[in-house]
Amino acid sequence: MNGPALFDMHCHLDFAPDAQAAARALAACGMGALSVTVTPRGYVRAAELLAPCDAVRVGLGLHPWWIADGSCGERDVALFERLAADERFIGEVGLDFAGDRAAAREAQVAAFERVARACAGGGKVLSIHAVRAAGEVLDVLERAGTLAENACIFHWFSGTSDELQRALRAGCFCSVNPRMLAAKRGRAYAQAVPAERLLLETDAPSEAGEPYDPAAEAARLAALLETLATLRRTPVDALAARIAETSRALLFPA
């Protein structure tokens, strides 16, 4: 992964019909990626499938949606805890209190507390989902000591401005996708994040069975860089190099 490159810091390659082919095509496009999963069992399958793909790192996930709807329970949380001891990349994890999922707030927080404690030893990269829950996510991470010696990435940040500043003060990163920039608040947040904490993502594919077209996604990320550079009033080459350097250090440390 030498030289300038694009990095998709939050995607779901295991949702693609042929994840291995998608990963190979992604590498051929000069991209690197953090492919997150949504359940620990899904992680085990994805990690084995994508192990030959040097350009991709796979995250151990326990998505709050799967906790909220009961698809993941005690056995899954316990499996996450066992696996997390040996895994560097974690995601997608977090909390989601939007709509009907707010009814499962207690179960989500209990599970995420255990996730956070399992990651508290340091040396990990976490991709975090926080919808109407950024403050609670930060509370849990602080209580567990997870913010220390880990790289915590808020994927598609949608909390309040105060919560964003709190996350940045805590040393967190923020990954931005094109849909985030469709909203005025998202554009403002993308301007507020320091360049050294800014990352790119596609969040694609969005569901199981949906294809992942690396060439198309690379073009989307390149366009996203152009938009970000315009918003931030900075040369696109300099911003691209800064984001690539940060991404490379997180995924492929020397």
Side-chain angles (χ1 to χ4, degrees):
M1 306 304 296
N2 296 323
L6 282 172
F7 294 85
D8 188 343
M9 293 297 291
H10 187 102
C11 61
H12 296 272
L13 293 184
D14 62 320
F15 282 177
D18 188 336
Q20 207 170 72
R24 287 194 297 266
L26 179 148
C29 289
M31 293 173 64
L34 174 58
S35 182
V36 297
T37 57
V38 295
T39 70
R41 286 170 289 177
Y43 165 77
V44 171
R45 293 190 297 270
E48 181 177 359
L49 186 64
L50 296 172
C53 307
D54 292 340
V56 176
R57 297 292 182 257
V58 182
L60 166 63
L62 186 61
H63 198 294
W65 291 2
W66 275 252
I67 294 291
D69 70 8
S71 298
C72 286
E74 170 58 31
R75 289 179 60 188
D76 301 279
V77 180
L79 177 58
F80 181 98
E81 290 173 316
R82 291 196 299 273
L83 294 171
D86 298 318
E87 303 306 328
R88 172 175 169 78
F89 299 100
I90 305 294
E92 183 170 357
V93 297
L95 299 172
D96 192 318
F97 298 154
D100 294 342
R101 297 185 184 102
R105 181 187 186 111
E106 185 175 339
Q108 288 189 53
V109 172
F112 188 52
E113 291 270 10
R114 292 171 63 180
V115 164
R117 288 196 298 271
C119 298
K124 300 188 187 299
V125 177
L126 291 79
S127 188
I128 300 169
H129 177 113
V131 176
R132 298 188 184 175
E136 187 75 63
V137 162
L138 287 165
D139 289 345
V140 171
L141 295 174
E142 286 176 357
R143 285 196 298 269
T146 316
L147 291 168
E149 307 302 325
N150 288 318
C152 294
I153 305 167
F154 276 82
H155 133 71
W156 193 349
F157 191 89
S158 60
T160 67
S161 178
D162 286 347
E163 288 167 338
L164 176 61
Q165 292 305 315
R166 180 184 170 191
L168 294 174
R169 288 195 300 272
C172 297
F173 298 78
C174 182
S175 57
V176 174
N177 61 48
R179 286 174 289 175
M180 180 175 167
L181 299 191
K184 181 179 179 181
R185 183 169 63 172
R187 293 192 294 274
Y189 289 173
Q191 291 174 277
V193 177
E196 65 272 15
R197 306 277 189 81
L198 191 63
L199 303 165
L200 307 179
E201 63 159 79
T202 65
D203 199 21
S206 59
E207 60 184 22
E210 182 179 287
Y212 179 91
D213 181 343
E217 297 302 339
R220 289 179 69 214
L221 291 179
L224 176 60
L225 270 171
E226 295 277 358
T227 302
L228 285 170
T230 299
L231 284 171
R232 297 169 66 92
R233 299 180 181 177
T234 190
V236 66
D237 289 348
L239 182 62
R242 173 69 266 190
I243 292 174
E245 181 181 351
T246 304
S247 304
R248 191 177 298 109
L250 291 172
L251 293 187
F252 308 102

